Amino acid sequence: MANHSRSSSLRPKIGATVDKLDFDDHRKPPSTNDGVESSGLGGLLRDDESLLSNVVDGVIERDRRKLRLAITKYTALATALLCYTQFQVNAVATAGELSQYLSIPLMGFLCDRYSPRPVALLSAFSSGGGYILAALAYHQGPPAHGGWPVWIMVIGFLGVGLGTCTIVLGSVTTCGKNFGKSRYRGLAVASPIAALGLSGVWISQVGGRWLTEPGRGGRAGNVDVYRYFLFLSGLAIGVGLVGAVALQVVNEEELIEEAAANQMDRSERLEENPFLHHSTHDRPVNYRTMSESRSLNPSEHNQQPIPDASKKTLVLNNEMRRFLTDPAMWLLAVGFFFISGTGESFINNFGTIISTLYPPSTQIPPSNSAATNVSIVAITSTLARLITGFGSDLLAPPTHPSQFDHRAFNVSRVAFLVSCAVLSALFQLLLASSLVQSHPSLFPLISALAGYSYGTVFTITPIVISVVWGVQNFGTNWGTISMVPAGGATVWGAIYSAVYQLYVDSGADTGEIGDGLCYGYACYGATAWGMLASSLVAIALWVLLWMRFKKGGIIV
């Protein structure tokens, strides 16, 4: 291992708050005279003033750039060239994250009530307009030199986050409802989620090959952020318009009728239920109650038919009430909080964790750089989504009478949930045991376990929701659960930052040399043990959930 002097600017300054990948506010603007590599991306950022800029520099190398979200990279370049402060950088990033997470329940509600088509159309205007606004703000230059104020960029990324949420949720909801009775519902739900992770592959290629500024010697230079944002704007508008036409739920009326009939099966007084106004023969067995289907005739109840729109509203309101008051939902949601929060926090902060594994005078090897681990997380997360979606289809028990099962054994979908929690606990145990501190080469293994468990939980959770609570109100139900990671990541991110900063400020037994760096196990050890305890709580909650389903005869 080469004993080069590692720039202390890669570490946070004393007194500074450690957050995510530490995009430092003391960065210098990249020089326009820097040499560029033939790949066209090697010189994207020539700023070594922070860990995040170092991560971005590594990510955009030719052999690594495929697996990092292009938006993250070029936003970092844009903010660097605009000379934003750390607070302003965080404001832009937080705006996109908050609008993406907090709008999910509302967008899911709109998908269920009005179909995914208008939601996809909203995505076209929201993301498209947001990127245009960001492009124009970038084109105007730094605010200190007469450019637009930072709040315009914040508004732009509010629109980007909202648009990203709407098109992804609309796609997942459409797949979930259209393939709700299919044997391969898991793969159908996992596909758009996996596609989101893979979108950065070709987007990065486009940005690095065809949207660059002229470099020296006729070679490609830095990515032209202005043109790149305009490209993303056009792409978002195009995808949103296609979704507004193509995202159609087939036979939604039958889904509503089935949900209404199931509600009547759960009611002890059928004569007081006004949902159905015609006979419903050949209805599948209700998997929740496993009761026989019953033919219903409105003349038997002396009920007047009610309009379809009103019936749909009543049915979905009842489905939402049933979901929110079901103790099983809370077991699932709280477990999801504990698992997703620790996973998000680790992915956001492993750049600084890696830097604590090596003495300040030691160069971090490329095989264990933050960029390499970003790629590992992206690969394993995407593979986990596809494998889990397809694997649950092959191994989980059928939940519909039309699905014939000739297998000798079945694996419950909740078992997939518990297994991902076990993987999460395993990588946190490796981190907490200090083994990686003495063997830093094991860190890529930890990243692989984290990526796989993270991808699994975000795939199997919506599948379980669609199986247990049905697909009629799937957008609202999954949207409600999807808010959970934001809170979990915030809590564990704050805990990690507080522990790290505590040892940066104290310098006790950490290899502190006075320039704000933290080296050693103490920088993250307590947090790792806390995250391990969090995963164990999630395991316990999901085992209880599994037992509850089994006791109630609910096939999952």
Side-chain angles (χ1 to χ4, degrees):
M1 192 178 300
N3 290 325
H4 305 301
S5 177
R6 188 157 23 128
S7 174
S8 63
S9 61
L10 295 179
R11 308 280 191 161
K13 301 290 186 264
I14 291 180
T17 299
V18 181
D19 185 29
K20 296 201 174 182
L21 295 178
D22 301 324
F23 192 22
D24 194 19
D25 58 337
H26 299 292
R27 63 193 181 283
K28 57 187 178 182
S31 172
T32 57
N33 296 324
D34 288 341
V36 292
E37 301 296 331
S38 60
S39 66
L41 290 177
L44 178 57
L45 287 181
R46 295 304 179 193
D47 167 26
D48 292 323
E49 292 295 308
S50 71
L51 182 58
L52 179 58
S53 63
N54 185 52
V55 171
V56 173
D57 249 340
V59 170
I60 58 179
E61 293 173 4
R62 171 172 296 190
D63 60 336
R64 299 187 179 99
R65 66 187 180 193
K66 295 180 181 179
L67 297 166
R68 181 63 166 148
L69 288 176
I71 296 172
T72 302
K73 295 184 300 185
Y74 303 124
T75 300
L77 174 60
T79 52
L81 295 176
L82 291 174
C83 302
Y84 285 170
T85 65
Q86 176 67 55
F87 174 78
Q88 291 170 330
V89 170
N90 287 339
V92 172
T94 302
E97 292 180 358
L98 288 181
S99 64
Q100 181 172 338
Y101 276 116
L102 299 183
S103 61
I104 290 178
L106 176 60
M107 294 302 106
F109 180 86
L110 295 178
C111 283
D112 291 330
R113 302 304 171 108
Y114 303 104
S115 87
R117 284 179 165 182
V119 174
L121 185 62
L122 173 63
S123 170
F125 289 102
S126 179
S127 283
Y131 277 122
I132 289 176
L133 199 59
L136 294 176
Y138 172 81
H139 193 61
Q140 295 297 316
H145 298 154
W148 287 358
V150 68
W151 61 263
I152 295 181
M153 184 72 80
V154 170
I155 293 176
F157 275 86
L158 283 172
V160 170
L162 175 62
T164 302
C165 160
T166 53
I167 193 63
V168 173
L169 189 59
S171 301
V172 174
T173 300
T174 303
C175 291
K177 292 190 174 186
N178 286 340
F179 296 91
K181 299 178 182 179
S182 170
R183 179 62 180 159
Y184 300 102
R185 76 162 81 193
L187 183 61
V189 172
S191 295
I193 301 175
L196 174 66
L198 293 174
S199 61
V201 174
W202 70 272
I203 289 177
S204 295
Q205 294 288 343
V206 171
R209 294 178 182 274
W210 295 294
L211 298 176
T212 59
E213 297 173 344
R216 292 190 299 181
R219 294 181 295 181
N222 296 339
V223 170
D224 189 330
V225 177
Y226 174 68
R227 288 197 299 148
Y228 185 75
F229 279 169
L230 290 180
F231 161 73
L232 291 178
S233 173
L235 181 64
I237 292 174
V239 170
L241 293 178
V242 170
V245 176
L247 294 182
Q248 179 179 2
V249 178
V250 180
N251 296 328
E252 186 177 16
E253 296 80 6
E254 293 183 6
L255 296 177
I256 297 301
E257 293 290 347
E258 182 178 336
N262 286 341
Q263 289 176 13
M264 294 187 71
D265 280 340
R266 291 189 296 267
S267 176
E268 295 181 356
R269 294 175 296 177
L270 299 181
E271 66 275 11
E272 296 180 3
N273 194 308
F275 291 157
L276 291 185
H277 61 270
H278 61 77
S279 178
T280 55
H281 295 283
D282 302 322
R283 185 168 46 81
V285 176
N286 180 3
Y287 68 86
R288 288 183 59 86
T289 63
M290 302 307 294
S291 62
E292 297 293 333
S293 300
R294 283 173 286 197
S295 176
L296 304 173
N297 192 308
S299 63
E300 299 175 4
H301 309 288
N302 298 319
Q303 293 291 343
Q304 294 294 324
I306 62 177
D308 288 343
S310 299
K311 180 173 64 179
K312 178 179 178 179
T313 299
L314 289 171
V315 168
L316 294 182
N317 285 345
N318 269 6
E319 289 294 304
M320 182 166 61
R321 186 181 304 111
R322 180 167 67 93
F323 178 73
L324 294 176
T325 57
D326 192 341
M329 184 280 290
W330 291 102
L331 288 174
L332 177 65
V334 176
F336 191 55
F337 171 86
F338 282 111
I339 284 295
S340 62
T342 57
E344 290 248 9
S345 177
F346 173 80
I347 293 173
N348 287 340
N349 293 290
F350 67 63
T352 51
I353 296 177
I354 292 173
S355 67
T356 66
L357 304 179
Y358 296 91
S361 60
T362 302
Q363 180 73 29
I364 297 176
S367 60
N368 204 18
S369 68
T372 298
N373 284 278
V374 163
S375 297
I376 292 172
V377 169
I379 293 171
T380 53
S381 177
T382 301
L383 288 176
R385 288 163 179 158
L386 296 174
I387 293 173
T388 302
F390 188 60
S392 65
D393 291 334
L394 292 179
L395 299 177
T399 58
H400 196 271
S402 63
Q403 300 170 358
F404 299 101
D405 186 21
H406 302 290
R407 289 166 299 176
F409 70 96
N410 293 309
V411 178
S412 172
R413 292 172 176 86
V414 184
F416 284 88
L417 269 179
V418 175
S419 66
C420 86
V422 171
L423 288 178
S424 178
L426 179 59
F427 91 75
Q428 288 152 7
L429 177 62
L430 289 174
L431 197 62
S433 67
S434 76
L435 182 63
V436 70
Q437 189 67 43
S438 55
H439 300 86
S441 60
L442 291 176
F443 197 84
L445 173 62
I446 293 177
S447 296
L449 292 172
Y452 198 90
S453 63
Y454 184 82
T456 298
V457 73
F458 272 91
T459 301
I460 201 65
T461 302
I463 295 173
V464 170
I465 290 173
S466 70
V467 170
V468 177
W469 291 279
V471 298
Q472 296 85 358
N473 210 41
F474 175 74
T476 304
N477 295 345
W478 171 230
T480 302
I481 297 292
S482 294
M483 282 200 309
V484 168
T490 300
V491 170
W492 283 108
I495 293 174
Y496 172 80
S497 298
V499 171
Y500 188 101
Q501 197 65 44
L502 174 66
Y503 285 95
V504 166
D505 294 338
S506 67
D509 301 323
T510 63
E512 175 68 48
I513 61 174
D515 64 348
L517 62 87
C518 185
Y519 162 68
Y521 171 75
C523 304
Y524 61 86
T527 305
W529 282 113
M531 292 195 298
L532 173 60
S534 179
S535 294
L536 294 178
V537 171
I539 292 173
L541 290 172
W542 284 343
V543 168
L544 289 176
L545 178 67
W546 195 355
M547 295 171 59
R548 183 183 182 89
F549 286 156
K550 191 172 183 179
K551 182 178 180 180
I554 301 174
I555 303 174
V556 184

